[in-house]
Amino acid sequence: MVQIKCNNKLFSSIIGATFLSLTLIGCRGQKSENPPILPIQNMVEQTSFGPQSKNEFYKDGRAYRPQILGTVEFDKPKTDKRLYEGKEPDSTEHDPKWVKKIPLKLSEKDIQRGQAKYVVFCTPCHGYAGDSDGLVTQRAGGVIRPSNIHDKERLALPVGKIYDAIHNGVNNWNMPGFASQLSVEDKWAVVAYVRALQLTRRATLENIPADIKAKHGWSNKQ
Amino acid sequence: MEPIFPKWTNRIPLYAGIGVSLLLIAIVTGIWYYFSPKFLAVGYEPVQPIAFSHQLHAGQMGMDCSYCHAGVEKGSFSPIPAADTCMGCHNKVKKDSPRLKVLRDSFENKTPIPWVRVHSLPRYSHFDHSAHLTAGVGCVSCHGRIDKMNTVSMVSPLSMGWCLDCHRNPLPNIRPQSELKNMIYDPHAEGYIPLNDPDYKDKLIQGPQACGACHY
């Protein structure tokens, strides 16, 4: 009698444990709002701070302190107005004189890098070809109205102004600037790529170097 | 004479033998299974202060990860975008949406948005994004299909075993430099062989297994 009872209990507890673990197995990878549990807590939290971590000592809670106004970067001073601002040295705040020529030597590889950066930062609004048909522009339903890179005014823009558009944005953040996302070289590379895009619709046979014309059998007559 | 112990007690050693070994097995499997970060960490999906959706921005609108996480190719960590980045669009798009109130307040008062950290290693271990991206490991290998997530959740355990599993045999996870942020590209299906790629040809792609690489 005792034996049977005992077996029953054993039996039911085995069944219970099986069910419990089966249901818990189902929880593996389940979505949860509770932070991960680390069974061993040694040194998980330390008094040092990493990037983007929290420090309650400061009122805003940021461990990384924002730059103090007027901080000057170590390394070479950025006094070259042509390179860093896209302006001629004698231009003033109210009367900017934009540079007409890219103040850097760029190779084909740089233009390819410019394309890569253009695809990341500009296509959402301006579209791959610059026709203002980016997916974000379409989704936003008319609130974002990027200028068409191929229209007349944009063709006439000096490179310095395009650089300034990328660096500082346009028209009070109507187009955002990308000063912190792109390095100076990257920004000029994007400028060069925008110029290349514009050329794709304007180029004539005269723009093509003679050796390439000869290679493909293109000639001025025809 | 009446025996002191009833007859069934003869079986106690047998029961105890079976019971204790079953219990031991249960404890070991239990710890192996339930104490593993695969159980404890995967699936962490905290509520964020703004209902920001990667599914909409990165998925439907096809925005590149670097538009917001700019600098991930160059630095050890991947920056969470500043409010300025969002405001480049949201000063026009859904300008008055109540769902973006936290963003507007943060932009005006110059306070950080209190995003809740999802992926986080213990402070004694160090991870570098740029090293993995230059070696050709794409975001999707570690973070999963972010472009399908409305709220970011963790799909990898981020345990030491997980790091080492890949470091011992990284080649199946290597993809071309142009596809690093492509969530759909599958190097297997494309028949991609890293050793033939000029980008990786003369490099020995091998994750470190020495303790000092990650613990310093």
Side-chain angles (χ1 to χ4, degrees):
Chain A
M1 210 32 221
V2 176
Q3 215 174 332
I4 294 169
K5 247 197 184 141
C6 181
N7 267 352
N8 251 346
K9 258 190 208 150
L10 192 73
F11 190 63
S12 51
S13 56
I14 286 177
I15 293 208
T18 321
F19 266 109
L20 191 69
S21 44
L22 275 180
T23 38
L24 277 173
I25 283 173
C27 295
R28 198 162 183 164
Q30 198 191 38
K31 297 282 159 65
S32 158
E33 286 169 10
N34 300 324
I37 305 158
L38 290 166
I40 303 165
Q41 279 290 337
N42 302 341
M43 293 168 75
V44 167
E45 295 298 334
Q46 298 178 17
T47 43
S48 60
F49 296 98
Q52 314 194 87
S53 59
K54 223 191 232 166
N55 183 352
E56 300 297 352
F57 180 78
Y58 296 104
K59 230 201 259 150
D60 61 5
R62 270 183 280 199
Y64 262 26
R65 305 310 302 151
Q67 256 175 29
I68 294 165
L69 212 69
T71 310
V72 179
E73 199 179 326
F74 180 74
D75 209 18
K76 277 172 269 163
K78 297 185 170 172
T79 44
D80 188 348
K81 266 195 161 178
R82 283 203 188 94
L83 184 60
Y84 292 107
E85 296 177 30
K87 293 175 189 164
E88 294 293 348
D90 59 343
S91 65
T92 56
E93 189 79 19
H94 301 289
D95 173 31
K97 285 184 198 137
W98 304 111
V99 295
K100 301 246 159 56
K101 211 172 146 275
I102 298 181
L104 273 176
K105 256 201 138 34
L106 295 173
S107 62
E108 192 181 337
K109 231 178 156 185
D110 290 316
I111 297 184
Q112 277 163 1
R113 194 168 41 121
Q115 176 178 28
K117 298 288 175 192
Y118 178 93
V119 167
V120 171
F121 292 105
C122 316
T123 39
C125 297
H126 287 282
Y128 280 92
D131 292 306
S132 352
D133 57 353
L135 286 173
V136 169
T137 306
Q138 292 178 26
R139 174 74 188 234
V143 251
I144 299 181
R145 282 185 295 274
S147 10
N148 188 328
I149 283 174
H150 302 285
D151 68 15
K152 236 170 119 198
E153 287 117 84
R154 252 46 70 183
L155 284 173
L157 284 180
V159 286
K161 181 74 185 72
I162 303 181
Y163 177 88
D164 185 66
I166 301 171
H167 187 71
N168 290 325
V170 187
N171 200 353
N172 195 14
W173 220 247
N174 195 6
M175 165 178 153
F178 296 92
S180 57
Q181 284 98 326
L182 292 166
S183 69
V184 185
E185 289 80 14
D186 286 347
K187 275 176 268 197
W188 283 112
V190 173
V191 173
Y193 184 69
V194 170
R195 274 284 186 257
L197 270 183
Q198 292 178 335
L199 257 183
T200 55
R201 310 254 168 107
R202 312 255 114 204
T204 54
L205 266 182
E206 281 78 48
N207 293 101
I208 301 173
D211 53 333
I212 292 179
K213 265 194 276 194
K215 195 169 134 209
H216 292 273
W218 299 328
S219 67
N220 287 343
K221 297 160 229 150
Q222 246 180 27
Chain B
M1 200 181 91
E2 184 77 358
I4 302 177
F5 296 108
K7 199 164 178 208
W8 63 265
T9 50
N10 285 347
R11 294 179 186 244
I12 284 183
L14 179 70
Y15 287 147
I18 297 176
V20 167
S21 39
L22 274 180
L23 195 69
L24 273 180
I25 293 175
I27 290 175
V28 170
T29 358
I31 291 182
W32 168 77
Y33 190 87
Y34 297 120
F35 282 28
S36 145
K38 283 183 198 153
F39 185 81
L40 294 175
V42 173
Y44 177 38
E45 186 186 272
V47 183
Q48 300 287 355
I50 302 175
F52 171 77
S53 164
H54 279 84
Q55 194 265 340
L56 171 66
H57 290 82
Q60 288 183 37
M61 299 197 291
M63 287 171 71
D64 193 284
C65 312
S66 297
Y67 187 101
C68 295
H69 303 292
V72 60
E73 300 96 340
K74 295 242 174 75
S76 68
F77 66 99
S78 166
I80 302 292
D84 297 30
T85 310
C86 313
M87 284 310 259
C89 294
H90 286 292
N91 57 3
K92 305 177 278 287
V93 182
K94 297 259 174 187
K95 224 163 54 185
D96 308 309
S97 167
R99 299 168 74 180
L100 287 165
K101 188 175 178 312
V102 179
L103 174 65
R104 288 190 301 269
D105 290 350
S106 152
F107 182 70
E108 272 154 31
N109 307 334
K110 303 239 175 299
T111 50
I113 305 171
W115 298 113
V116 182
R117 187 88 182 246
V118 187
H119 300 76
S120 177
L121 292 177
R123 294 282 297 134
Y124 52 73
S125 51
H126 296 266
F127 175 80
D128 190 321
H129 272 94
S130 64
H132 289 87
L133 292 173
T134 10
V137 186
C139 315
V140 70
S141 304
C142 300
H143 294 299
R145 290 297 299 270
I146 292 275
D147 64 330
K148 283 192 173 166
M149 296 180 191
N150 271 318
T151 317
V152 178
S153 66
M154 221 153 104
V155 299
S156 311
L158 300 197
S159 62
M160 180 164 144
W162 174 74
C163 307
L164 290 175
D165 271 348
C166 177
H167 281 195
R168 293 194 177 110
N169 179 23
L171 283 188
N173 290 302
I174 305 296
R175 50 180 63 215
Q177 284 291 318
S178 55
E179 310 296 339
L180 287 179
K181 288 167 271 170
N182 187 337
M183 297 270 121
I184 308 163
Y185 181 87
D186 178 3
H188 260 294
E190 302 281 330
Y192 172 75
I193 302 166
L195 296 177
N196 295 345
D197 190 322
D199 279 343
Y200 310 127
K201 204 163 187 175
D202 301 319
K203 287 193 199 146
L204 179 70
I205 294 184
Q206 186 69 59
Q209 289 172 40
C211 321
C214 310
H215 302 295
Y216 53 84

